[in-house]
Amino acid sequence: MRLTSPRIAPLADHEFDADQQEIVAPMMATGRVLNIFRTFVRAPKAAKGFLAWGNYVLSKRNDLPAREREIVILRIGFLCKSGYEWTQHTEIGLRSGLTAAEVAAIKVGADAPSWSPADAALLRASDELHHDQFITTPTWTALKAHFSDKQCMDVVFTAGQYTQVSMILNSFGVQLDPGQTLDPDLKGF
């Protein structure tokens, strides 16, 4: 984690105004409003727009299978040194079919020996988008060997969304939710 305390404090339940309450009501119905959303609702109009796009990226409208989507999200979160993002999506990735060994290998990247060619292409694309905001022709060709045009678009959409999320989390100082533990590789960033 880059900051040990929030720059923008998350709101407690009793602090939500009517607009904020409307945004978090579906989350409250499931029993938990995460710190990311408790922070975002300080800007309700931005939160609504963010949630609309974020819901696309995390939904079945995104044609990447959940496991592959999580490879992209976790690689971007790790490259952005976003402890909050990494922590949240490690849990989601494991539920989406990644193994603990694969999650650990995401930190290494495409050159870890365990990756299939499709997974390695996702990791290379994530690296290139992070470092140069562009997927090179060889990496695009590798992606196209395994994924449709729409899925390749969704790789870019997913990497872009989670770059933005990581920037927000890091800059606002969103802290882990109760019960979570920060990965030691992301301490001190």
Side-chain angles (χ1 to χ4, degrees):
M1 299 285 289
R2 292 173 183 238
L3 299 171
T4 58
S5 62
R7 287 179 173 163
I8 309 290
L11 293 174
D13 290 356
H14 71 275
E15 296 177 291
F16 296 135
D17 67 22
D19 289 338
Q20 294 161 336
Q21 181 66 36
E22 178 186 339
I23 294 166
V24 299
M27 298 170 213
M28 292 183 103
T30 65
R32 186 171 169 186
V33 181
L34 300 173
N35 282 340
I36 184 174
F37 303 116
R38 290 180 178 281
T39 303
F40 278 13
V41 296
R42 286 193 174 272
K45 291 177 184 174
K48 284 182 181 181
F50 171 85
L51 287 169
W53 180 243
N55 285 337
Y56 166 80
V57 171
L58 290 176
S59 75
K60 292 189 186 294
R61 293 173 289 162
N62 180 336
D63 285 351
L64 283 176
R67 179 188 170 279
E68 286 72 12
R69 180 196 70 219
E70 291 303 317
I71 288 172
V72 173
I73 292 170
L74 282 165
R75 185 63 180 164
I76 292 295
F78 188 75
L79 292 171
C80 291
K81 299 175 181 72
S82 180
Y84 188 94
E85 192 55 44
W86 179 265
T87 302
Q88 292 295 346
H89 278 272
T90 292
E91 294 174 21
I92 296 167
L94 292 170
R95 288 194 307 266
S96 298
L98 289 171
T99 66
E102 288 173 324
V103 170
I106 287 170
K107 296 176 192 177
V108 176
D111 294 330
S114 58
W115 294 118
S116 70
D119 292 344
L122 291 169
L123 289 160
R124 278 197 182 83
S126 298
D127 286 4
E128 291 176 4
L129 288 166
H130 175 77
H131 294 295
D132 195 34
Q133 297 73 53
F134 176 75
I135 298 174
T136 63
T137 299
T139 300
W140 189 264
T141 301
L143 281 174
K144 287 294 296 163
H146 306 283
F147 301 101
S148 70
D149 283 344
K150 172 66 168 51
Q151 288 173 317
C152 290
M153 292 174 71
D154 283 333
V155 167
V156 177
F157 295 155
T158 301
Q161 165 68 1
Y162 281 89
T163 297
Q164 177 189 22
V165 170
S166 294
M167 290 167 52
I168 291 166
L169 292 167
N170 288 345
S171 295
F172 294 173
V174 176
Q175 301 297 297
L176 297 182
D177 291 290
Q180 294 181 320
T181 304
L182 182 64
D183 185 297
D185 291 335
L186 290 168
K187 287 185 178 176
F189 287 101

